[in-house]
Every structure is written in structure tokens, then in C-alpha cells.
Amino acid sequence: RKAIADGSDMICSDALFALASLCSLSTANVQTETSLVVETIQKVLSDVSFGNDCKSISALAGCAIVGQVPGLTSFTPLAHQLVKKEVSLSVVKVLNETASNDSEELKCRDSATIGLGVLCAMKSSIRRVRKNRLVFEKTKQIDRGVDIEAIIQARDGSVLESILHEIQALLRMKSQHSHEDAAATNNKLSVLFSSLELIAMPGSFSRVIEMALSTTSRNDAEVKTSSVSLLVSQLKSR
């Protein structure tokens, strides 16, 4: 940190990159150290007295403060959970200014451009991680929270048992959002729900309907209609 504060060219850039890579590990000082790194990056990239090698490393340090820089241990860059949006925007701004500055040396501009590419990859990986986490949570809810066999015991080999097994499989597919034909899945689920209208189901079966509705898009009226019809039929049968 003393080298960064003193601003001593290559020593500064090496220390800057090291601090940028490690500051996310210290939750107590992360905001203070992040501010120091961002301010120093802005100073180095805007000061003509610093050499190209120093500026190049400083550009990569900007990526390291936002997330993991791809290398030997990480091929998919991920953003740090504690980094603030303002920090990311500040790094993007200074790298963009450097990359588009014709007065800068080519090596420095190339490093800033590479840095912008790494940040774009981080943004894509964040979306992918969030999507995978959402799919995992929904799948876990079905596997753990809605076990149809625990709700109702059908006779082995009966038509009812086949219907319930098919509903369980369709709900798992809907939760994953990865099946190709969502319309066909919703159509099957609607038909199966309709076939249960004449059968007195236990009250806990409403959890199955709730899960079906929670994984159904707003524009899909078919599953919603069949779910309501099934609920109404169960009320009438009591």
C-alpha cells in the first residue's frame, strides 16, 4: 500500500495488481482498499509520466478489482460479490477513455481494450451464474418440497400412479427451463390435471398445483385454467 501511495512506476503497478486481487478477501477493509486501487488506476492511466508497462498492468488491475482475471486458475472470469456497481462503472470509464485515446501508446490501448473484454465476460458469467442458481433452487424445491408420492399413495401399476409420476417429471422439466418444447410440456400437464378432476385428492395436493403455477409464464393460460378447474372440482367434491 505504501508503494501505491508513493506512486513509484513498476513497483506501484505490481503492488496495485496484488492489492486489487487480494482486497476482496478482506471484508472489513474491502471498500477502503477498493477506493485506493480505483483512484490509483485513474492516476496512472491519466499521467504521462508513467511507462507503458505500468499502465498495462494497471489496466488489468482494474479488472482484478471487479472480479477474477482469467488465467491459470480461472478460465471463466467471475465478478466479486462485494464489489459495488459504482466501482465497476468507474473502471469501465477509465479503461474506455484509455482505449479510445489516440495519444496513448498502442500497447497501453490494447491492454485497456483487453480489460474491457474481460469485464464483458464477467458480466456474462454473472448472468449465467444467476440463471443456474435460479434453476438449481427451483429444482431443489420440487425434489425436496413437492414429493407427490409422499402426498398421495396410488396403487402400484394403476393409471393414477402413472399420472402422478408423469406430473412429477413434467414439473421437474418446467423448473429447469431447459427443455425445448415448453408448449408441449404445458399441454401434457393441463391434460393430466383435467384427468384428476373426478378423483378426490388430499388437501396437500394443492402444493403440486402451486408449484405448477410458480413455474408457468404469464402468457400460458392453459396450465392456469386447468389448475383452477382442478381446485374447483376438489372443492365441489368435499
Side-chain angles (χ1 to χ4, degrees):
R1 292 186 59 162
K2 184 178 184 298
I4 294 176
D6 293 342
S8 51
D9 214 345
M10 285 304 297
I11 297 178
C12 167
S13 62
D14 290 341
L16 183 64
F17 187 86
L19 180 58
S21 302
L22 298 175
C23 68
S24 61
L25 302 177
S26 176
T27 56
N29 301 320
V30 61
Q31 301 304 331
T32 302
E33 294 178 350
T34 297
S35 299
L36 174 62
V37 172
V38 173
E39 290 174 1
T40 308
I41 291 173
Q42 293 172 338
K43 176 183 177 182
V44 171
L45 293 180
S46 61
D47 194 336
V48 295
S49 63
F50 288 96
N52 292 327
D53 290 337
C54 179
K55 289 188 175 184
S56 298
I57 297 177
S58 298
L60 295 179
C63 300
I65 198 65
V66 176
Q68 300 174 358
V69 178
L72 295 178
T73 59
S74 175
F75 294 98
T76 304
L78 295 175
H80 299 311
Q81 294 182 350
L82 297 179
V83 67
K84 291 186 176 181
K85 183 178 180 180
E86 294 78 8
V87 174
S88 301
L89 293 177
S90 298
V91 174
V92 170
K93 180 181 179 181
V94 68
L95 291 183
N96 186 53
E97 291 175 349
T98 303
S100 57
N101 188 355
D102 293 335
S103 62
E104 289 286 355
E105 293 291 335
L106 181 61
K107 181 177 181 179
C108 183
R109 283 185 285 148
D110 287 347
S111 298
T113 303
I114 293 173
L116 291 172
V118 172
L119 294 179
C120 288
M122 289 181 187
K123 185 176 181 180
S124 299
S125 64
I126 290 173
R127 293 175 178 173
R128 184 166 56 253
V129 168
R130 288 176 179 173
K131 181 179 179 180
N132 292 339
R133 186 181 296 122
L134 180 62
V135 170
F136 173 76
E137 291 296 331
K138 288 190 174 182
T139 303
K140 186 169 64 175
Q141 286 178 9
I142 289 181
D143 292 339
R144 180 186 60 188
V146 182
D147 185 359
I148 297 180
E149 291 184 359
I151 294 175
I152 180 172
Q153 293 291 332
R155 183 179 301 176
D156 291 341
S158 64
V159 176
L160 179 58
E161 182 186 43
S162 299
I163 292 175
L164 295 178
H165 283 172
E166 185 66 16
I167 290 176
Q168 181 85 71
L170 291 172
L171 288 178
R172 184 173 291 111
M173 290 175 62
K174 283 173 63 64
S175 72
Q176 294 175 354
H177 295 284
S178 59
H179 53 290
E180 296 180 354
D181 197 345
T185 300
N186 293 331
N187 182 60
K188 290 180 182 178
L189 190 59
S190 299
V191 171
L192 293 174
F193 277 175
S194 299
S195 67
L196 296 176
E197 291 183 8
L198 299 179
I199 304 175
M201 307 296 288
S204 54
F205 192 79
S206 61
R207 291 165 55 194
V208 178
I209 299 176
E210 179 184 0
M211 181 58 65
L213 293 174
S214 67
T215 56
T216 300
S217 63
R218 296 180 180 178
N219 299 327
D220 183 19
E222 193 173 13
V223 174
K224 296 179 181 179
T225 301
S226 61
S227 298
V228 172
S229 298
L230 179 56
L231 287 174
V232 172
S233 68
Q234 296 301 309
L235 292 175
K236 289 181 178 180
S237 65
R238 296 180 183 276

